[in-house]
Amino acid sequence: MSRRTIAMLALIIAGEAVFMLPFVVARVFRSAFLAVFGLSNLQLGSAFSVYGIVAMVSYLLGGPLADRFAARTLITVALVATAAGGIVFASIPSIPMLIALYGYWGLTTILLFWAALIRATREWGAEDAQGRAYGVLDGGRGLLAALLASAAVVMFAQLLPLDVSAATAAQRSSALRAIIVATTAFTVLAAALSWFALPPATSPATTGAQRQLNWIGVRAAARLPTVWLQAIAIVCAYVAYKVTDNFGLYAHDVLGYDDIASARLGALTFWTRPVAALGAGLLADRIGGTRTLAIGFILLAGGAAALGAGLLPVSVPLVLFATIVVTCLGIYGVRGVYYAVMNEMRLPLAITGSAVGLVSVIGYTPDVFAGPLIGALLDHDPGAVGYQHVFFMTAGFAVVGLASAVAMHYLTKRP
């Protein structure tokens, strides 16, 4: 296996491992997670919101940081620091402590990690394979997430009685704690792999005097209209991505699935991610990133609107599942390529980290508002009606994202 392949493998594993403790555990085991930690949907949304507030500042500061220091160093430190939070997480802390922990993870996963990951991936893809680079990254992350989520569901089921409904609160707490400990251990292993597999130095494009241009790079990126359109597209895609956290809970609350069955549905939706992201990446190299973004938003809008209309036959699981799969194809397809448009935008490589930081400050604002908004919609109208509101909201954001992708396409084609 070549060093180039190993480096991408390390980026894939690191890119997924760093977010498993803050997000994947709560997404796959949502109903059990709420019960063990004694949370309402709104309280969990508030914890995500604190993460998002810290992340907003971290995105802007982390961008120039990624243009200055080696990705290997930043990524490794970020993973170790995130895993340290897993020790607190496994103790099933109080709600205030949990909220503080999410704020801490906003620093470890974003300030040190995010822009470094995106920049390293752009360098890996060079000039002619940006779509493939980001498609492989997100598709690989999706495949890894699906494998790990499926394995975690099997592990969770093994730790509970055969009759899941008869499980005691102590048994559920013990099973969830075991999942958290295993996830923490995986994050530490990802840190070790990153240190040994990634190149020790930054690209020559960021050495010497150019390291002093980081804040100039932020201002230069801010003058590009396409950067702002890219940020809008990421906002819309990320709102939809946050909604995927609730597919398992949707199965539990509306379809009547038990904890294990709803976790299985949540895990199964992960399997659309590698297919969608890799497919979108290859398509982007063929027809362009902005066109691929538009196609993804069309799929997303159609699938979310169908779910929101509430007309799907719940008694026919195959139809419902197919609609969820189409929606996820749109979500993960867009996620797979919304950074692959940077070469199409003619963004200089030397300011990649700074541009990513600026775009992310806006693009990931759903970390602040999406959790509380979705939680409030579900708590205000429990059951099917609340989910219909959530899905219609998602469709609306998808339409806005489609408009931004079309505008970006026309701007990038101008001489």
Side-chain angles (χ1 to χ4, degrees):
M1 189 180 295
S2 69
R3 291 188 63 85
R4 177 176 165 83
T5 301
I6 295 172
M8 175 52 73
L9 182 62
L11 290 174
I12 288 169
I13 293 174
E16 194 56 34
V18 79
F19 295 112
M20 287 181 66
L21 284 166
F23 296 112
V24 175
V25 172
R27 181 184 308 152
V28 175
F29 303 99
R30 176 59 63 94
S31 58
F33 186 89
L34 293 175
V36 169
F37 281 85
L39 298 166
S40 68
N41 287 301
L42 184 56
Q43 286 172 322
L44 180 57
S46 297
F48 289 150
S49 183
V50 169
Y51 173 95
I53 291 169
V54 175
M56 289 305 100
V57 178
S58 298
Y59 282 124
L60 194 58
L61 298 177
L65 204 63
D67 284 336
R68 185 175 181 87
F69 297 106
R72 182 179 79 159
T73 301
L74 293 173
I75 288 172
T76 301
V77 172
L79 287 163
V80 171
T82 300
I87 298 171
V88 177
F89 199 33
S91 70
I92 315 296
S94 65
I95 293 175
M97 180 62 72
L98 181 68
I99 291 174
L101 179 61
Y102 269 87
Y104 167 77
W105 277 332
L107 287 173
T108 65
T109 64
I110 303 302
L111 177 65
L112 300 175
F113 186 86
W114 184 245
L117 176 72
I118 299 303
R119 169 155 189 150
T121 305
R122 187 181 183 191
E123 291 177 348
W124 188 93
E127 289 294 325
D128 58 346
Q130 289 294 294
R132 186 176 64 190
Y134 288 103
V136 168
L137 175 69
D138 204 65
R141 288 178 60 195
L143 178 59
L144 179 62
L147 290 170
L148 292 175
S150 298
V153 170
V154 172
M155 178 180 174
F156 191 67
Q158 292 297 318
L159 294 170
L160 292 177
L162 289 177
D163 183 2
V164 178
S165 62
T168 65
Q171 287 173 320
R172 291 189 182 197
S173 179
S174 176
L176 190 63
R177 183 180 289 108
I179 296 295
I180 293 170
V181 170
T183 304
T184 300
F186 182 79
T187 306
V188 172
L189 291 176
L193 175 62
S194 297
W195 180 256
F196 290 108
L198 296 178
T202 54
S203 163
T206 60
T207 59
Q210 287 188 344
R211 287 190 173 186
Q212 305 303 316
L213 302 179
N214 289 333
W215 290 109
I216 293 175
V218 172
R219 292 194 292 271
R223 289 194 290 267
L224 297 173
T226 49
V227 166
W228 298 100
L229 289 170
Q230 183 188 25
I232 293 171
I234 293 175
V235 168
C236 298
Y238 203 60
V239 167
Y241 177 68
K242 300 296 280 187
V243 171
T244 63
D245 290 353
N246 295 275
F247 281 138
L249 194 61
Y250 173 65
H252 183 276
D253 291 351
V254 177
L255 306 183
Y257 289 18
D258 63 27
D259 285 348
I260 297 299
S262 61
R264 285 196 182 108
L265 178 62
L268 283 173
T269 61
F270 279 48
W271 288 96
T272 63
R273 182 177 172 187
V275 175
L278 184 56
L282 295 174
L283 186 63
D285 282 341
R286 180 176 293 272
I287 69 172
T290 52
R291 284 196 178 101
T292 306
L293 274 180
I295 293 171
F297 277 122
I298 289 170
L299 289 176
L300 170 54
L307 290 168
L311 301 177
L312 297 174
V314 176
S315 59
V316 185
L318 184 60
V319 174
L320 183 67
F321 180 72
T323 306
I324 291 176
V325 167
V326 168
T327 306
C328 289
L329 286 173
I331 293 170
Y332 293 125
V334 169
R335 276 176 54 86
V337 298
Y338 55 41
Y339 284 113
V341 300
M342 288 189 289
N343 275 14
E344 202 172 331
M345 292 160 51
R346 297 187 287 275
L347 182 76
L349 176 62
I351 63 169
T352 298
S354 299
V356 169
L358 179 61
V359 166
S360 298
V361 168
I362 301 165
Y364 295 113
T365 52
D367 274 333
V368 177
F369 71 80
L373 176 58
I374 293 168
L377 289 172
L378 295 179
D379 289 343
H380 185 268
D381 292 301
V385 173
Y387 284 98
Q388 287 175 5
H389 293 163
V390 169
F391 292 135
F392 271 131
M393 174 201 70
T394 306
F397 273 99
V399 171
V400 175
L402 174 60
S404 69
V406 171
M408 201 187 314
H409 173 74
Y410 282 107
L411 284 176
T412 57
K413 298 309 174 186
R414 292 193 314 185

